[in-house]
Amino acid sequence: MTADVHLRALDRAEVTDDDAAEGRWPRPRTQCTADLDHTGVLLPQRPQSRPQPWLAASGPGTRGGGWDPWKFDNHRAGRMRTEDLCQLCGTPRTDIVYVLAPVEQVSTMAEMYGGAVCSLRCGRLTAAVCPHYTAAGSPIAIYAVPRHERVDLVGCDLDNDDEYDIAGLDPICVVTTANTS
Protein backbone atom coordinates (compact mmCIF):
# COMPACT_ATOMS: atom_id res chain seq x y z
CA MET A 1 0.00 0.00 0.00
CA THR A 2 1.49 3.37 -0.94
CA ALA A 3 1.72 6.48 1.19
CA ASP A 4 -0.67 8.04 -1.32
CA VAL A 5 -3.39 5.76 0.09
CA HIS A 6 -2.42 6.38 3.73
CA LEU A 7 -2.58 10.15 3.40
CA ARG A 8 -5.59 10.42 1.09
CA ALA A 9 -7.74 11.86 3.89
CA LEU A 10 -5.16 14.61 4.49
CA ASP A 11 -4.84 15.84 0.93
CA ARG A 12 -8.02 14.98 -1.04
CA ALA A 13 -9.37 17.95 -3.03
CA GLU A 14 -10.38 19.05 -6.47
CA VAL A 15 -8.08 21.73 -7.84
CA THR A 16 -8.46 24.97 -9.75
CA ASP A 17 -5.72 27.44 -10.67
CA ASP A 18 -6.86 29.68 -7.79
CA ASP A 19 -6.74 26.76 -5.35
CA ALA A 20 -3.15 25.92 -6.26
CA ALA A 21 -2.06 29.46 -5.41
CA GLU A 22 -3.86 29.46 -2.05
CA GLY A 23 -1.95 28.42 1.03
CA ARG A 24 -4.28 25.98 2.73
CA TRP A 25 -5.23 22.41 3.59
CA PRO A 26 -6.15 20.10 2.10
CA ARG A 27 -3.52 20.56 -0.60
CA PRO A 28 -5.01 20.35 -4.09
CA ARG A 29 -4.08 17.28 -6.13
CA THR A 30 -2.70 17.77 -9.63
CA GLN A 31 -0.41 15.92 -11.99
CA CYS A 32 3.29 16.15 -11.16
CA THR A 33 5.85 16.48 -13.97
CA ALA A 34 8.09 13.93 -12.20
CA ASP A 35 5.47 11.31 -13.10
CA LEU A 36 5.50 12.12 -16.84
CA ASP A 37 7.84 11.17 -19.64
CA HIS A 38 9.38 13.83 -21.92
CA THR A 39 6.21 13.89 -24.08
CA GLY A 40 3.89 14.43 -21.10
CA VAL A 41 2.58 10.84 -20.90
CA LEU A 42 2.14 9.28 -17.45
CA LEU A 43 4.94 6.84 -16.62
CA PRO A 44 4.09 3.27 -15.51
CA GLN A 45 3.56 2.72 -11.77
CA ARG A 46 3.21 6.44 -11.09
CA PRO A 47 0.30 8.19 -9.36
CA GLN A 48 -2.20 10.11 -11.50
CA SER A 49 -1.81 13.10 -9.19
CA ARG A 50 0.02 14.25 -6.07
CA PRO A 51 -0.71 16.97 -3.53
CA GLN A 52 0.65 20.20 -5.00
CA PRO A 53 3.00 22.22 -2.77
CA TRP A 54 2.03 25.87 -2.46
CA LEU A 55 5.50 26.94 -3.70
CA ALA A 56 5.62 24.73 -6.82
CA ALA A 57 5.44 26.20 -10.30
CA SER A 58 2.46 24.87 -12.21
CA GLY A 59 0.28 25.40 -15.25
CA PRO A 60 0.76 25.75 -18.99
CA GLY A 61 4.51 26.42 -18.78
CA THR A 62 5.21 23.05 -17.19
CA ARG A 63 5.38 19.68 -18.96
CA GLY A 64 1.87 18.22 -19.02
CA GLY A 65 0.45 21.37 -17.38
CA GLY A 66 0.94 19.97 -13.87
CA TRP A 67 3.23 21.08 -11.07
CA ASP A 68 6.99 20.87 -11.30
CA PRO A 69 8.91 19.69 -8.19
CA TRP A 70 12.11 21.32 -9.47
CA LYS A 71 10.72 24.83 -10.07
CA PHE A 72 9.26 27.50 -7.80
CA ASP A 73 6.51 29.96 -8.59
CA ASN A 74 8.43 33.28 -8.52
CA HIS A 75 5.65 35.34 -6.90
CA ARG A 76 5.02 32.78 -4.16
CA ALA A 77 8.79 32.33 -3.61
CA GLY A 78 9.07 36.08 -2.98
CA ARG A 79 6.22 35.93 -0.48
CA MET A 80 7.74 32.84 1.13
CA ARG A 81 11.00 34.72 1.78
CA THR A 82 9.52 38.03 2.96
CA GLU A 83 6.70 36.54 5.08
CA ASP A 84 8.61 33.38 6.18
CA LEU A 85 5.97 30.98 4.86
CA CYS A 86 5.93 27.18 4.60
CA GLN A 87 6.75 25.89 1.11
CA LEU A 88 4.09 23.17 1.32
CA CYS A 89 1.01 24.92 2.71
CA GLY A 90 1.89 28.62 2.51
CA THR A 91 1.20 29.41 6.17
CA PRO A 92 3.66 31.26 8.44
CA ARG A 93 6.41 29.22 10.05
CA THR A 94 6.90 29.37 13.82
CA ASP A 95 10.06 29.17 15.95
CA ILE A 96 10.16 25.38 15.42
CA VAL A 97 10.33 24.03 11.85
CA TYR A 98 10.65 20.53 10.41
CA VAL A 99 13.41 19.20 8.16
CA LEU A 100 13.53 15.87 6.37
CA ALA A 101 16.41 13.53 5.58
CA PRO A 102 16.64 9.94 4.37
CA VAL A 103 17.38 7.63 7.33
CA GLU A 104 20.35 6.15 5.42
CA GLN A 105 21.82 9.58 4.61
CA VAL A 106 25.54 9.65 5.43
CA SER A 107 25.91 13.43 5.78
CA THR A 108 24.67 15.10 8.95
CA MET A 109 23.54 18.15 6.97
CA ALA A 110 19.84 18.12 6.09
CA GLU A 111 19.21 20.38 3.08
CA MET A 112 15.70 21.40 2.09
CA TYR A 113 15.27 23.31 -1.13
CA GLY A 114 12.35 25.65 -0.54
CA GLY A 115 13.01 25.58 3.17
CA ALA A 116 11.91 23.65 6.20
CA VAL A 117 8.16 23.10 6.57
CA CYS A 118 5.94 24.56 9.29
CA SER A 119 4.42 21.46 10.89
CA LEU A 120 4.74 17.73 11.41
CA ARG A 121 1.65 17.39 9.21
CA CYS A 122 3.43 19.15 6.32
CA GLY A 123 6.59 17.11 6.97
CA ARG A 124 4.74 13.79 6.88
CA LEU A 125 2.93 14.66 3.65
CA THR A 126 6.18 15.85 2.05
CA ALA A 127 8.01 12.65 3.05
CA ALA A 128 5.17 10.49 1.75
CA VAL A 129 4.53 12.04 -1.66
CA CYS A 130 7.31 14.43 -2.74
CA PRO A 131 9.39 12.95 -5.58
CA HIS A 132 12.59 14.18 -3.89
CA TYR A 133 11.91 11.87 -0.95
CA THR A 134 9.95 8.96 -2.44
CA ALA A 135 12.86 8.39 -4.85
CA ALA A 136 15.34 8.22 -1.96
CA GLY A 137 14.77 4.48 -1.46
CA SER A 138 15.01 4.93 2.31
CA PRO A 139 12.59 5.78 5.09
CA ILE A 140 12.51 9.54 5.72
CA ALA A 141 13.30 10.95 9.16
CA ILE A 142 11.64 14.19 10.26
CA TYR A 143 13.44 16.45 12.73
CA ALA A 144 12.07 19.39 14.73
CA VAL A 145 14.64 22.20 14.75
CA PRO A 146 14.78 25.89 15.70
CA ARG A 147 13.95 28.15 12.75
CA HIS A 148 16.83 30.25 11.43
CA GLU A 149 17.50 32.49 8.42
CA ARG A 150 17.10 30.78 5.05
CA VAL A 151 20.15 30.23 2.82
CA ASP A 152 20.89 29.87 -0.89
CA LEU A 153 21.85 26.25 -1.58
CA VAL A 154 21.67 26.36 -5.39
CA GLY A 155 23.57 29.57 -6.15
CA CYS A 156 20.68 31.57 -7.58
CA ASP A 157 21.11 34.50 -5.13
CA LEU A 158 17.76 33.74 -3.51
CA ASP A 159 17.58 32.63 0.10
CA ASN A 160 14.83 30.03 -0.48
CA ASP A 161 16.41 27.09 1.30
CA ASP A 162 17.28 25.68 4.72
CA GLU A 163 20.29 23.69 5.87
CA TYR A 164 20.51 22.12 9.32
CA ASP A 165 23.12 19.98 11.04
CA ILE A 166 21.15 17.03 12.46
CA ALA A 167 24.13 15.33 14.14
CA GLY A 168 23.04 14.00 17.52
CA LEU A 169 19.34 14.77 16.98
CA ASP A 170 16.69 12.08 17.20
CA PRO A 171 13.93 12.22 14.61
CA ILE A 172 10.45 12.89 15.94
CA CYS A 173 8.98 10.71 13.22
CA VAL A 174 10.08 8.31 10.48
CA VAL A 175 7.92 7.88 7.37
CA THR A 176 8.25 4.70 5.36
CA THR A 177 6.62 4.68 1.94
CA ALA A 178 6.38 2.58 -1.17
CA ASN A 179 8.62 3.99 -3.89
CA THR A 180 6.39 5.76 -6.42
CA SER A 181 9.12 7.65 -8.24
Side-chain angles (χ1 to χ4, degrees):
M1 185 174 284
T2 67
D4 189 48
V5 173
H6 293 294
L7 293 169
R8 200 171 289 152
L10 286 179
D11 65 14
R12 182 179 295 153
E14 294 299 316
V15 67
T16 66
D17 289 338
D18 290 338
D19 289 336
E22 290 293 317
R24 64 182 172 85
W25 277 87
R27 293 306 309 142
R29 294 183 67 89
T30 57
Q31 198 164 54
C32 175
T33 59
D35 300 320
L36 307 175
D37 70 12
H38 70 283
T39 66
V41 174
L42 187 67
L43 293 166
Q45 305 296 312
R46 297 295 181 96
Q48 285 284 86
S49 64
R50 295 179 192 241
Q52 179 178 334
W54 173 76
L55 184 59
S58 64
T62 61
R63 183 171 22 114
W67 65 273
D68 189 330
W70 296 279
K71 294 181 182 174
F72 298 153
D73 175 278
N74 289 332
H75 175 73
R76 290 191 292 270
R79 284 192 56 210
M80 179 190 71
R81 287 188 303 276
T82 60
E83 299 173 39
D84 198 19
L85 303 176
C86 175
Q87 68 163 306
L88 181 69
C89 71
T91 60
R93 301 189 313 170
T94 62
D95 289 339
I96 299 296
V97 293
Y98 300 82
V99 295
L100 289 70
V103 169
E104 296 173 6
Q105 175 175 304
V106 176
S107 170
T108 63
M109 295 304 288
E111 299 176 340
M112 286 193 67
Y113 300 97
V117 294
C118 71
S119 67
L120 181 57
R121 182 183 193 189
C122 285
R124 289 178 63 207
L125 183 62
T126 300
V129 301
C130 176
H132 295 101
Y133 297 105
T134 58
S138 168
I140 303 300
I142 302 174
Y143 300 86
V145 294
R147 180 179 53 82
H148 64 192
E149 294 297 316
R150 294 176 193 257
V151 297
D152 177 9
L153 293 174
V154 295
C156 64
D157 294 326
L158 297 173
D159 294 331
N160 287 332
D161 313 311
D162 274 316
E163 181 176 51
Y164 285 89
D165 188 348
I166 55 174
L169 296 179
D170 292 323
I172 61 167
C173 176
V174 174
V175 177
T176 302
T177 63
N179 189 339
T180 59
S181 294

